[in-house]
Amino acid sequence: MNWKFYVLGAATVAALLATTACEPGAVAGSDDAKPSGRPSATNSATPGGTASVTPSGSSGDTGGSDGNGDSGTIAACTGEELAVSATKEPADSKEARHLLITVQNAGDKTCNVYHYPYVKIGDAKGTTPVIKDSDPDPGKPVTLAPGDEAYAALLVAGGAMDEYEANSITLTLHSSRLGSKAGEPIDVPMPVDTLYADDGQLVTYWTTASGLALDFITSK
């Protein structure tokens, strides 16, 4: 047997084992055994470690709006939803010089009438002048709930010149802006067959108090 070869072989194996034991990461359970770059379990998806979550529908919308900015606005009354009439004042008077025009909200929603009616008696060239002092609440409309009424008093003849016969009355509604018109003329039922109007005719602003409106014309 060649003992020299055996001893050399044993020494070589021992040297190899010693070299392996000294290599980094060779000891089980050591921190150095972890592969570099492995994500830590404490890493956060956002800076500061807290993820921000926005609940669905919480973008600042408080709700309750229809998106058009005027959900609380009361619409202007239209001819389609108003019942219109005219009566002599007093009812038993022989002459139809003082008339009370009444509009009633016959619809199912609250609406506004603005300023005063544009009244045209018969074939007059223009509309009846308004009594400016008759505005009961300047700048504000008359609000009519379903069934409510508004009144305007009409002086057919004020004793002026150029009397003429009239067989019709029409009124046109104001829109919210003073001096504007809304819709088409509305036929007002005649309280008598023929009216005798003149250049002294006048009309009042809308009001919910019929007596107040009449006070402006009964003394004329």
Side-chain angles (χ1 to χ4, degrees):
M1 177 179 295
N2 190 344
W3 291 102
K4 290 182 179 181
F5 178 79
Y6 176 78
V7 173
L8 180 60
T12 300
V13 171
L16 289 172
L17 290 174
T19 301
T20 304
C22 292
E23 289 181 356
V27 180
S30 169
D31 289 341
D32 292 338
K34 296 178 182 178
S36 62
R38 177 185 295 178
S40 170
T42 60
N43 283 348
S44 172
T46 59
T50 304
S52 176
V53 179
T54 302
S56 175
S58 63
S59 61
D61 183 7
T62 58
S65 172
D66 60 6
N68 59 13
D70 59 353
S71 59
T73 301
I74 298 175
C77 298
T78 65
E80 288 75 15
E81 57 197 350
L82 292 179
V84 182
S85 62
T87 55
K88 291 191 302 179
E89 295 294 336
D92 59 353
S93 62
K94 295 181 179 180
E95 297 180 320
R97 291 184 62 244
H98 304 132
L99 302 183
L100 183 67
I101 297 175
T102 303
V103 292
Q104 182 185 54
N105 182 356
D108 57 3
K109 294 181 180 180
T110 298
C111 62
N112 288 333
V113 288
Y114 292 92
H115 309 299
Y116 56 88
Y118 291 102
V119 175
K120 187 174 182 179
I121 303 176
D123 295 326
K125 293 180 180 180
T127 57
T128 302
V130 66
I131 302 173
K132 294 181 179 180
D133 293 341
S134 65
D135 191 351
D137 200 352
K140 294 185 179 180
V142 175
T143 300
L144 301 178
D148 285 352
E149 296 178 343
Y151 310 96
L154 175 62
L155 178 64
V156 176
M161 300 291 290
D162 297 329
E163 183 179 271
Y164 65 97
E165 294 184 4
N167 303 110
S168 65
I169 304 173
T170 61
L171 72 80
T172 304
L173 298 169
H174 246 96
S175 63
S176 59
R177 181 172 57 85
L178 184 62
S180 61
K181 291 184 179 182
E184 298 297 321
I186 302 167
D187 289 327
V188 180
M190 291 283 286
V192 294
D193 291 336
T194 303
L195 292 173
Y196 296 92
D198 65 24
D199 292 346
Q201 59 190 260
L202 295 168
V203 70
T204 68
Y205 275 74
W206 293 115
T207 178
T208 55
S210 59
L212 177 63
L214 289 168
D215 283 346
F216 284 96
I217 66 168
T218 51
S219 60
K220 298 182 182 299

